[in-house]
Amino acid sequence: MTIIIIMMAVTYIPRVAPFYLLSSDSIPPMVRRFLSFIPYAALGALLMPGSLYAVNSRPDISAAAIIFAGLLAWFNRNIITTVFLTVVAVWIMLLLF
């Protein structure tokens, strides 16, 4: 029973500590801006390697689809439309090339 309580404390303290130690007023704006980009960077690092080989033996089509999806997401800002149109674009590229 003691080990469970110790494990609970070790898990709970690092999760709750930032709420008590850092408030939104104490973080400098430059650091707050830097931290806001981390989820996007982590997501890109996780998705990019798999995206290059999403179409078997056709990394050229995968690269074109990544560029197309990036441009579409930049101008559209709707993830459902971006994913749907990128899938359609890959399908068309596979038919044509």
Side-chain angles (χ1 to χ4, degrees), residues 30-89:
M30 188 173 193
V31 174
R32 189 178 308 135
R33 183 168 182 218
F34 172 75
L35 291 174
S36 72
F37 290 116
I38 289 178
Y40 300 116
L43 184 63
L46 290 170
L47 293 178
M48 193 55 110
S51 298
L52 287 174
Y53 300 105
V55 181
N56 290 338
S57 70
R58 296 301 303 265
D60 54 338
I61 291 179
S62 294
I66 291 169
I67 293 169
F68 178 76
L71 289 172
L72 198 60
W74 182 266
F75 292 111
N76 188 12
R77 305 224 183 242
N78 184 342
I79 192 163
I80 302 297
T81 306
T82 301
V83 170
F84 178 74
L85 291 177
T86 303
V87 169
V88 170

Tab-separated table of all heavy atoms in Angstrom, residues 30-89:
chain	number	residue	atom	x	y	z
A	30	MET	N	7.807	36.438	-24.700
A	30	MET	CA	8.650	35.728	-25.665
A	30	MET	C	8.687	34.225	-25.361
A	30	MET	O	8.623	33.397	-26.267
A	30	MET	CB	10.054	36.314	-25.659
A	30	MET	CG	10.953	35.790	-26.729
A	30	MET	SD	12.476	36.734	-26.702
A	30	MET	CE	13.164	36.239	-28.237
A	31	VAL	N	8.771	33.877	-24.087
A	31	VAL	CA	8.769	32.466	-23.696
A	31	VAL	C	7.406	31.842	-23.977
A	31	VAL	O	7.315	30.713	-24.463
A	31	VAL	CB	9.150	32.316	-22.207
A	31	VAL	CG1	9.016	30.879	-21.740
A	31	VAL	CG2	10.556	32.822	-21.965
A	32	ARG	N	6.327	32.573	-23.706
A	32	ARG	CA	4.981	32.072	-23.975
A	32	ARG	C	4.803	31.800	-25.472
A	32	ARG	O	4.231	30.800	-25.863
A	32	ARG	CB	3.943	33.077	-23.488
A	32	ARG	CG	2.543	32.522	-23.546
A	32	ARG	CD	1.497	33.485	-23.017
A	32	ARG	NE	1.846	33.977	-21.690
A	32	ARG	CZ	1.759	35.246	-21.333
A	32	ARG	NH1	1.342	36.154	-22.163
A	32	ARG	NH2	2.074	35.604	-20.105
A	33	ARG	N	5.332	32.697	-26.317
A	33	ARG	CA	5.226	32.496	-27.771
A	33	ARG	C	6.031	31.272	-28.196
A	33	ARG	O	5.582	30.483	-29.019
A	33	ARG	CB	5.704	33.733	-28.503
A	33	ARG	CG	5.547	33.592	-29.986
A	33	ARG	CD	5.728	34.890	-30.704
A	33	ARG	NE	5.508	34.629	-32.127
A	33	ARG	CZ	6.180	35.171	-33.074
A	33	ARG	NH1	7.092	36.062	-32.821
A	33	ARG	NH2	5.947	34.851	-34.331
A	34	PHE	N	7.242	31.110	-27.646
A	34	PHE	CA	8.059	29.945	-27.969
A	34	PHE	C	7.346	28.654	-27.577
A	34	PHE	O	7.316	27.692	-28.340
A	34	PHE	CB	9.412	30.036	-27.255
A	34	PHE	CG	10.242	28.792	-27.367
A	34	PHE	CD1	10.888	28.484	-28.546
A	34	PHE	CD2	10.355	27.919	-26.297
A	34	PHE	CE1	11.647	27.340	-28.653
A	34	PHE	CE2	11.111	26.772	-26.397
A	34	PHE	CZ	11.759	26.483	-27.583
A	35	LEU	N	6.750	28.631	-26.400
A	35	LEU	CA	6.058	27.433	-25.932
A	35	LEU	C	4.807	27.139	-26.752
A	35	LEU	O	4.389	25.988	-26.859
A	35	LEU	CB	5.698	27.574	-24.456
A	35	LEU	CG	6.872	27.555	-23.485
A	35	LEU	CD1	6.392	27.851	-22.074
A	35	LEU	CD2	7.615	26.245	-23.550
A	36	SER	N	4.215	28.148	-27.361
A	36	SER	CA	3.018	27.912	-28.163
A	36	SER	C	3.332	27.164	-29.451
A	36	SER	O	2.451	26.550	-30.041
A	36	SER	CB	2.324	29.237	-28.483
A	36	SER	OG	3.058	29.982	-29.431
A	37	PHE	N	4.577	27.198	-29.920
A	37	PHE	CA	4.950	26.508	-31.153
A	37	PHE	C	5.377	25.065	-30.935
A	37	PHE	O	5.476	24.304	-31.882
A	37	PHE	CB	6.086	27.248	-31.868
A	37	PHE	CG	5.664	28.543	-32.460
A	37	PHE	CD1	6.201	29.731	-32.014
A	37	PHE	CD2	4.705	28.583	-33.462
A	37	PHE	CE1	5.802	30.935	-32.560
A	37	PHE	CE2	4.301	29.780	-34.014
A	37	PHE	CZ	4.850	30.962	-33.558
A	38	ILE	N	5.630	24.669	-29.707
A	38	ILE	CA	6.121	23.318	-29.441
A	38	ILE	C	5.145	22.234	-29.891
A	38	ILE	O	5.555	21.276	-30.523
A	38	ILE	CB	6.526	23.165	-27.962
A	38	ILE	CG1	7.796	23.965	-27.719
A	38	ILE	CG2	6.744	21.704	-27.600
A	38	ILE	CD1	8.276	23.956	-26.308
A	39	PRO	N	3.848	22.330	-29.624
A	39	PRO	CA	2.961	21.266	-30.102
A	39	PRO	C	2.981	21.111	-31.621
A	39	PRO	O	2.955	20.001	-32.129
A	39	PRO	CB	1.575	21.699	-29.623
A	39	PRO	CG	1.846	22.559	-28.453
A	39	PRO	CD	3.139	23.259	-28.760
A	40	TYR	N	3.061	22.219	-32.366
A	40	TYR	CA	3.116	22.133	-33.815
A	40	TYR	C	4.412	21.472	-34.273
A	40	TYR	O	4.413	20.650	-35.189
A	40	TYR	CB	2.986	23.523	-34.442
A	40	TYR	CG	1.697	24.206	-34.097
A	40	TYR	CD1	1.692	25.376	-33.354
A	40	TYR	CD2	0.485	23.672	-34.489
A	40	TYR	CE1	0.508	26.003	-33.032
A	40	TYR	CE2	-0.711	24.287	-34.168
A	40	TYR	CZ	-0.690	25.451	-33.438
A	40	TYR	OH	-1.859	26.064	-33.116
A	41	ALA	N	5.521	21.823	-33.623
A	41	ALA	CA	6.796	21.237	-33.991
A	41	ALA	C	6.822	19.742	-33.671
A	41	ALA	O	7.318	18.935	-34.459
A	41	ALA	CB	7.933	21.949	-33.263
A	42	ALA	N	6.283	19.363	-32.521
A	42	ALA	CA	6.250	17.946	-32.152
A	42	ALA	C	5.353	17.164	-33.102
A	42	ALA	O	5.692	16.051	-33.518
A	42	ALA	CB	5.765	17.792	-30.713
A	43	LEU	N	4.228	17.730	-33.454
A	43	LEU	CA	3.323	17.069	-34.391
A	43	LEU	C	3.987	16.893	-35.755
A	43	LEU	O	3.896	15.839	-36.372
A	43	LEU	CB	2.029	17.868	-34.525
A	43	LEU	CG	0.940	17.250	-35.389
A	43	LEU	CD1	0.472	15.933	-34.785
A	43	LEU	CD2	-0.216	18.204	-35.534
A	44	GLY	N	4.677	17.923	-36.208
A	44	GLY	CA	5.395	17.823	-37.482
A	44	GLY	C	6.491	16.775	-37.446
A	44	GLY	O	6.683	16.022	-38.408
A	45	ALA	N	7.213	16.704	-36.339
A	45	ALA	CA	8.281	15.707	-36.211
A	45	ALA	C	7.730	14.287	-36.177
A	45	ALA	O	8.369	13.351	-36.638
A	45	ALA	CB	9.102	15.979	-34.952
A	46	LEU	N	6.537	14.123	-35.646
A	46	LEU	CA	5.933	12.789	-35.600
A	46	LEU	C	5.324	12.383	-36.938
A	46	LEU	O	5.385	11.216	-37.332
A	46	LEU	CB	4.853	12.736	-34.515
A	46	LEU	CG	5.343	12.795	-33.085
A	46	LEU	CD1	4.165	12.978	-32.146
A	46	LEU	CD2	6.119	11.544	-32.739
A	47	LEU	N	4.736	13.328	-37.650
A	47	LEU	CA	4.009	12.998	-38.878
A	47	LEU	C	4.872	12.982	-40.134
A	47	LEU	O	4.586	12.231	-41.063
A	47	LEU	CB	2.861	13.991	-39.085
A	47	LEU	CG	1.733	13.916	-38.077
A	47	LEU	CD1	0.705	14.978	-38.377
A	47	LEU	CD2	1.103	12.551	-38.077
A	48	MET	N	5.887	13.817	-40.205
A	48	MET	CA	6.644	13.981	-41.443
A	48	MET	C	7.334	12.705	-41.931
A	48	MET	O	7.218	12.385	-43.114
A	48	MET	CB	7.655	15.114	-41.289
A	48	MET	CG	8.227	15.532	-42.599
A	48	MET	SD	6.927	15.967	-43.765
A	48	MET	CE	7.165	17.680	-43.865
A	49	PRO	N	8.038	11.956	-41.101
A	49	PRO	CA	8.700	10.746	-41.634
A	49	PRO	C	7.714	9.740	-42.219
A	49	PRO	O	7.974	9.153	-43.272
A	49	PRO	CB	9.426	10.158	-40.418
A	49	PRO	CG	9.611	11.299	-39.501
A	49	PRO	CD	8.421	12.180	-39.702
A	50	GLY	N	6.590	9.530	-41.571
A	50	GLY	CA	5.598	8.598	-42.087
A	50	GLY	C	4.896	9.118	-43.325
A	50	GLY	O	4.479	8.342	-44.189
A	51	SER	N	4.775	10.427	-43.428
A	51	SER	CA	4.093	11.017	-44.581
A	51	SER	C	4.893	10.848	-45.864
A	51	SER	O	4.319	10.731	-46.944
A	51	SER	CB	3.844	12.505	-44.338
A	51	SER	OG	3.008	12.679	-43.234
A	52	LEU	N	6.202	10.843	-45.754
A	52	LEU	CA	7.027	10.704	-46.961
A	52	LEU	C	6.894	9.331	-47.601
A	52	LEU	O	7.134	9.171	-48.797
A	52	LEU	CB	8.484	11.001	-46.644
A	52	LEU	CG	8.803	12.465	-46.401
A	52	LEU	CD1	10.249	12.626	-45.954
A	52	LEU	CD2	8.536	13.292	-47.634
A	53	TYR	N	6.528	8.343	-46.831
A	53	TYR	CA	6.391	6.985	-47.360
A	53	TYR	C	4.951	6.489	-47.287
A	53	TYR	O	4.700	5.292	-47.227
A	53	TYR	CB	7.321	6.034	-46.599
A	53	TYR	CG	8.763	6.460	-46.725
A	53	TYR	CD1	9.430	7.071	-45.674
A	53	TYR	CD2	9.446	6.285	-47.931
A	53	TYR	CE1	10.738	7.493	-45.805
A	53	TYR	CE2	10.760	6.702	-48.062
A	53	TYR	CZ	11.398	7.294	-47.000
A	53	TYR	OH	12.691	7.713	-47.141
A	54	ALA	N	3.994	7.428	-47.299
A	54	ALA	CA	2.588	7.052	-47.204
A	54	ALA	C	2.100	6.345	-48.458
A	54	ALA	O	1.282	5.430	-48.388
A	54	ALA	CB	1.734	8.285	-46.942
A	55	VAL	N	2.599	6.749	-49.617
A	55	VAL	CA	2.245	6.096	-50.876
A	55	VAL	C	3.388	5.147	-51.209
A	55	VAL	O	4.519	5.576	-51.438
A	55	VAL	CB	2.037	7.132	-52.005
A	55	VAL	CG1	1.658	6.447	-53.297
A	55	VAL	CG2	0.980	8.144	-51.607
A	56	ASN	N	3.102	3.857	-51.236
A	56	ASN	CA	4.140	2.847	-51.434
A	56	ASN	C	4.909	3.078	-52.728
A	56	ASN	O	4.334	3.218	-53.798
A	56	ASN	CB	3.529	1.442	-51.451
A	56	ASN	CG	3.030	1.044	-50.094
A	56	ASN	OD1	3.458	1.583	-49.084
A	56	ASN	ND2	2.105	0.110	-50.063
A	57	SER	N	6.208	3.106	-52.622
A	57	SER	CA	7.165	3.220	-53.730
A	57	SER	C	6.948	4.484	-54.561
A	57	SER	O	7.379	4.539	-55.702
A	57	SER	CB	7.130	1.983	-54.633
A	57	SER	OG	5.915	1.929	-55.366
A	58	ARG	N	6.297	5.501	-54.023
A	58	ARG	CA	6.098	6.759	-54.738
A	58	ARG	C	6.333	7.953	-53.809
A	58	ARG	O	5.414	8.694	-53.480
A	58	ARG	CB	4.691	6.836	-55.317
A	58	ARG	CG	4.338	5.827	-56.375
A	58	ARG	CD	5.235	5.878	-57.614
A	58	ARG	NE	5.274	7.176	-58.260
A	58	ARG	CZ	4.509	7.528	-59.277
A	58	ARG	NH1	3.641	6.690	-59.771
A	58	ARG	NH2	4.633	8.726	-59.807
A	59	PRO	N	7.579	8.168	-53.362
A	59	PRO	CA	7.840	9.307	-52.473
A	59	PRO	C	7.625	10.655	-53.172
A	59	PRO	O	7.393	11.664	-52.514
A	59	PRO	CB	9.288	9.121	-52.038
A	59	PRO	CG	9.881	8.229	-53.058
A	59	PRO	CD	8.771	7.364	-53.579
A	60	ASP	N	7.675	10.671	-54.514
A	60	ASP	CA	7.424	11.918	-55.231
A	60	ASP	C	5.970	12.372	-55.064
A	60	ASP	O	5.689	13.554	-54.858
A	60	ASP	CB	7.788	11.783	-56.701
A	60	ASP	CG	7.089	10.600	-57.375
A	60	ASP	OD1	6.671	9.660	-56.670
A	60	ASP	OD2	6.972	10.612	-58.618
A	61	ILE	N	5.050	11.424	-55.147
A	61	ILE	CA	3.642	11.755	-54.950
A	61	ILE	C	3.389	12.135	-53.490
A	61	ILE	O	2.625	13.056	-53.204
A	61	ILE	CB	2.731	10.598	-55.403
A	61	ILE	CG1	2.814	10.471	-56.923
A	61	ILE	CG2	1.299	10.804	-54.944
A	61	ILE	CD1	1.991	9.358	-57.505
A	62	SER	N	4.054	11.450	-52.575
A	62	SER	CA	3.908	11.797	-51.154
A	62	SER	C	4.404	13.213	-50.884
A	62	SER	O	3.752	13.977	-50.175
A	62	SER	CB	4.674	10.811	-50.281
A	62	SER	OG	4.114	9.536	-50.359
A	63	ALA	N	5.546	13.567	-51.463
A	63	ALA	CA	6.092	14.915	-51.266
A	63	ALA	C	5.160	15.967	-51.870
A	63	ALA	O	4.925	17.019	-51.267
A	63	ALA	CB	7.484	15.008	-51.876
A	64	ALA	N	4.628	15.688	-53.057
A	64	ALA	CA	3.680	16.625	-53.675
A	64	ALA	C	2.424	16.766	-52.826
A	64	ALA	O	1.881	17.874	-52.681
A	64	ALA	CB	3.329	16.152	-55.086
A	65	ALA	N	1.960	15.673	-52.247
A	65	ALA	CA	0.770	15.727	-51.397
A	65	ALA	C	1.040	16.515	-50.122
A	65	ALA	O	0.163	17.250	-49.645
A	65	ALA	CB	0.310	14.311	-51.062
A	66	ILE	N	2.230	16.391	-49.557
A	66	ILE	CA	2.583	17.156	-48.356
A	66	ILE	C	2.584	18.647	-48.672
A	66	ILE	O	2.051	19.458	-47.909
A	66	ILE	CB	3.945	16.691	-47.800
A	66	ILE	CG1	3.831	15.287	-47.237
A	66	ILE	CG2	4.463	17.662	-46.746
A	66	ILE	CD1	5.155	14.646	-46.903
A	67	ILE	N	3.164	19.011	-49.804
A	67	ILE	CA	3.183	20.422	-50.199
A	67	ILE	C	1.768	20.921	-50.455
A	67	ILE	O	1.378	22.016	-50.015
A	67	ILE	CB	4.089	20.615	-51.432
A	67	ILE	CG1	5.545	20.338	-51.051
A	67	ILE	CG2	3.940	22.020	-52.009
A	67	ILE	CD1	6.487	20.227	-52.223
A	68	PHE	N	0.974	20.126	-51.151
A	68	PHE	CA	-0.409	20.496	-51.433
A	68	PHE	C	-1.202	20.668	-50.137
A	68	PHE	O	-1.932	21.641	-49.965
A	68	PHE	CB	-1.060	19.428	-52.323
A	68	PHE	CG	-2.499	19.694	-52.642
A	68	PHE	CD1	-2.855	20.652	-53.568
A	68	PHE	CD2	-3.499	18.985	-52.003
A	68	PHE	CE1	-4.180	20.899	-53.862
A	68	PHE	CE2	-4.835	19.215	-52.287
A	68	PHE	CZ	-5.172	20.189	-53.224
A	69	ALA	N	-1.044	19.730	-49.221
A	69	ALA	CA	-1.763	19.807	-47.939
A	69	ALA	C	-1.313	21.016	-47.132
A	69	ALA	O	-2.130	21.683	-46.489
A	69	ALA	CB	-1.561	18.525	-47.142
A	70	GLY	N	-0.023	21.308	-47.151
A	70	GLY	CA	0.476	22.475	-46.426
A	70	GLY	C	-0.094	23.777	-46.967
A	70	GLY	O	-0.529	24.644	-46.209
A	71	LEU	N	-0.098	23.908	-48.292
A	71	LEU	CA	-0.664	25.117	-48.901
A	71	LEU	C	-2.163	25.219	-48.656
A	71	LEU	O	-2.692	26.293	-48.360
A	71	LEU	CB	-0.370	25.127	-50.404
A	71	LEU	CG	1.086	25.362	-50.788
A	71	LEU	CD1	1.270	25.156	-52.283
A	71	LEU	CD2	1.541	26.742	-50.366
A	72	LEU	N	-2.836	24.100	-48.789
A	72	LEU	CA	-4.276	24.091	-48.575
A	72	LEU	C	-4.620	24.432	-47.119
A	72	LEU	O	-5.538	25.205	-46.856
A	72	LEU	CB	-4.836	22.724	-48.948
A	72	LEU	CG	-6.325	22.621	-49.190
A	72	LEU	CD1	-6.734	23.543	-50.325
A	72	LEU	CD2	-6.681	21.191	-49.550
A	73	ALA	N	-3.864	23.890	-46.182
A	73	ALA	CA	-4.101	24.181	-44.769
A	73	ALA	C	-3.792	25.642	-44.453
A	73	ALA	O	-4.467	26.258	-43.626
A	73	ALA	CB	-3.254	23.265	-43.892
A	74	TRP	N	-2.795	26.188	-45.110
A	74	TRP	CA	-2.428	27.584	-44.864
A	74	TRP	C	-3.552	28.530	-45.277
A	74	TRP	O	-3.873	29.479	-44.579
A	74	TRP	CB	-1.151	27.920	-45.624
A	74	TRP	CG	-0.686	29.319	-45.396
A	74	TRP	CD1	-0.972	30.410	-46.161
A	74	TRP	CD2	0.138	29.778	-44.338
A	74	TRP	NE1	-0.378	31.518	-45.645
A	74	TRP	CE2	0.321	31.168	-44.516
A	74	TRP	CE3	0.746	29.159	-43.254
A	74	TRP	CZ2	1.077	31.926	-43.650
A	74	TRP	CZ3	1.505	29.919	-42.407
A	74	TRP	CH2	1.660	31.290	-42.608
A	75	PHE	N	-4.142	28.262	-46.435
A	75	PHE	CA	-5.172	29.166	-46.950
A	75	PHE	C	-6.587	28.791	-46.504
A	75	PHE	O	-7.463	29.645	-46.445
A	75	PHE	CB	-5.120	29.221	-48.477
A	75	PHE	CG	-3.876	29.894	-48.985
A	75	PHE	CD1	-2.899	29.165	-49.632
A	75	PHE	CD2	-3.675	31.248	-48.791
A	75	PHE	CE1	-1.749	29.781	-50.087
A	75	PHE	CE2	-2.531	31.865	-49.240
A	75	PHE	CZ	-1.559	31.134	-49.893
A	76	ASN	N	-6.827	27.522	-46.205
A	76	ASN	CA	-8.178	27.066	-45.907
A	76	ASN	C	-8.482	27.078	-44.416
A	76	ASN	O	-9.558	27.464	-43.995
A	76	ASN	CB	-8.388	25.663	-46.485
A	76	ASN	CG	-9.802	25.197	-46.383
A	76	ASN	OD1	-10.699	25.957	-46.097
A	76	ASN	ND2	-9.997	23.928	-46.613
A	77	ARG	N	-7.567	26.585	-43.604
A	77	ARG	CA	-7.712	26.504	-42.149
A	77	ARG	C	-8.834	25.580	-41.683
A	77	ARG	O	-9.342	25.720	-40.591
A	77	ARG	CB	-7.886	27.880	-41.546
A	77	ARG	CG	-6.794	28.826	-41.914
A	77	ARG	CD	-6.348	29.604	-40.748
A	77	ARG	NE	-5.329	30.556	-41.168
A	77	ARG	CZ	-4.106	30.524	-40.716
A	77	ARG	NH1	-3.751	29.623	-39.856
A	77	ARG	NH2	-3.236	31.409	-41.111
A	78	ASN	N	-9.256	24.660	-42.532
A	78	ASN	CA	-10.258	23.678	-42.145
A	78	ASN	C	-9.638	22.301	-42.340
A	78	ASN	O	-9.356	21.900	-43.467
A	78	ASN	CB	-11.519	23.834	-43.001
A	78	ASN	CG	-12.621	22.903	-42.561
A	78	ASN	OD1	-12.395	21.931	-41.859
A	78	ASN	ND2	-13.825	23.196	-42.991
A	79	ILE	N	-9.437	21.561	-41.271
A	79	ILE	CA	-8.693	20.310	-41.361
A	79	ILE	C	-9.456	19.231	-42.130
A	79	ILE	O	-8.856	18.453	-42.862
A	79	ILE	CB	-8.280	19.817	-39.957
A	79	ILE	CG1	-7.258	18.694	-40.098
A	79	ILE	CG2	-9.479	19.378	-39.159
A	79	ILE	CD1	-6.489	18.419	-38.858
A	80	ILE	N	-10.766	19.202	-42.005
A	80	ILE	CA	-11.551	18.186	-42.711
A	80	ILE	C	-11.446	18.389	-44.217
A	80	ILE	O	-11.200	17.443	-44.980
A	80	ILE	CB	-13.024	18.212	-42.251
A	80	ILE	CG1	-13.133	17.979	-40.749
A	80	ILE	CG2	-13.857	17.218	-43.033
A	80	ILE	CD1	-12.635	16.650	-40.283
A	81	THR	N	-11.608	19.629	-44.660
A	81	THR	CA	-11.488	19.940	-46.085
A	81	THR	C	-10.078	19.663	-46.580
A	81	THR	O	-9.903	19.111	-47.668
A	81	THR	CB	-11.853	21.417	-46.338
A	81	THR	OG1	-13.139	21.669	-45.785
A	81	THR	CG2	-11.849	21.740	-47.804
A	82	THR	N	-9.081	20.019	-45.787
A	82	THR	CA	-7.690	19.790	-46.180
A	82	THR	C	-7.406	18.311	-46.358
A	82	THR	O	-6.822	17.896	-47.365
A	82	THR	CB	-6.739	20.395	-45.130
A	82	THR	OG1	-7.002	21.784	-45.018
A	82	THR	CG2	-5.297	20.172	-45.505
A	83	VAL	N	-7.812	17.498	-45.411
A	83	VAL	CA	-7.564	16.052	-45.506
A	83	VAL	C	-8.312	15.454	-46.688
A	83	VAL	O	-7.736	14.686	-47.476
A	83	VAL	CB	-7.961	15.350	-44.185
A	83	VAL	CG1	-7.950	13.840	-44.337
A	83	VAL	CG2	-7.039	15.769	-43.064
A	84	PHE	N	-9.571	15.806	-46.853
A	84	PHE	CA	-10.371	15.260	-47.946
A	84	PHE	C	-9.779	15.634	-49.308
A	84	PHE	O	-9.601	14.771	-50.179
A	84	PHE	CB	-11.821	15.744	-47.843
A	84	PHE	CG	-12.685	15.253	-48.962
A	84	PHE	CD1	-13.098	13.932	-48.999
A	84	PHE	CD2	-13.064	16.106	-49.983
A	84	PHE	CE1	-13.887	13.471	-50.046
A	84	PHE	CE2	-13.848	15.662	-51.021
A	84	PHE	CZ	-14.264	14.335	-51.059
A	85	LEU	N	-9.455	16.911	-49.500
A	85	LEU	CA	-8.916	17.341	-50.793
A	85	LEU	C	-7.518	16.787	-51.053
A	85	LEU	O	-7.159	16.518	-52.199
A	85	LEU	CB	-8.925	18.861	-50.886
A	85	LEU	CG	-10.318	19.494	-50.973
A	85	LEU	CD1	-10.216	21.011	-50.992
A	85	LEU	CD2	-11.073	18.990	-52.190
A	86	THR	N	-6.738	16.577	-50.010
A	86	THR	CA	-5.414	15.974	-50.192
A	86	THR	C	-5.539	14.514	-50.600
A	86	THR	O	-4.795	14.041	-51.469
A	86	THR	CB	-4.575	16.115	-48.913
A	86	THR	OG1	-4.485	17.496	-48.559
A	86	THR	CG2	-3.184	15.551	-49.103
A	87	VAL	N	-6.471	13.790	-50.008
A	87	VAL	CA	-6.697	12.389	-50.405
A	87	VAL	C	-7.152	12.326	-51.863
A	87	VAL	O	-6.689	11.484	-52.643
A	87	VAL	CB	-7.708	11.710	-49.462
A	87	VAL	CG1	-8.155	10.370	-50.001
A	87	VAL	CG2	-7.104	11.551	-48.080
A	88	VAL	N	-8.047	13.227	-52.251
A	88	VAL	CA	-8.504	13.275	-53.643
A	88	VAL	C	-7.343	13.620	-54.574
A	88	VAL	O	-7.197	13.012	-55.650
A	88	VAL	CB	-9.664	14.287	-53.805
A	88	VAL	CG1	-9.999	14.529	-55.263
A	88	VAL	CG2	-10.890	13.793	-53.057
A	89	ALA	N	-6.492	14.556	-54.175
A	89	ALA	CA	-5.338	14.927	-54.996
A	89	ALA	C	-4.378	13.754	-55.163
A	89	ALA	O	-3.856	13.525	-56.267
A	89	ALA	CB	-4.621	16.122	-54.377
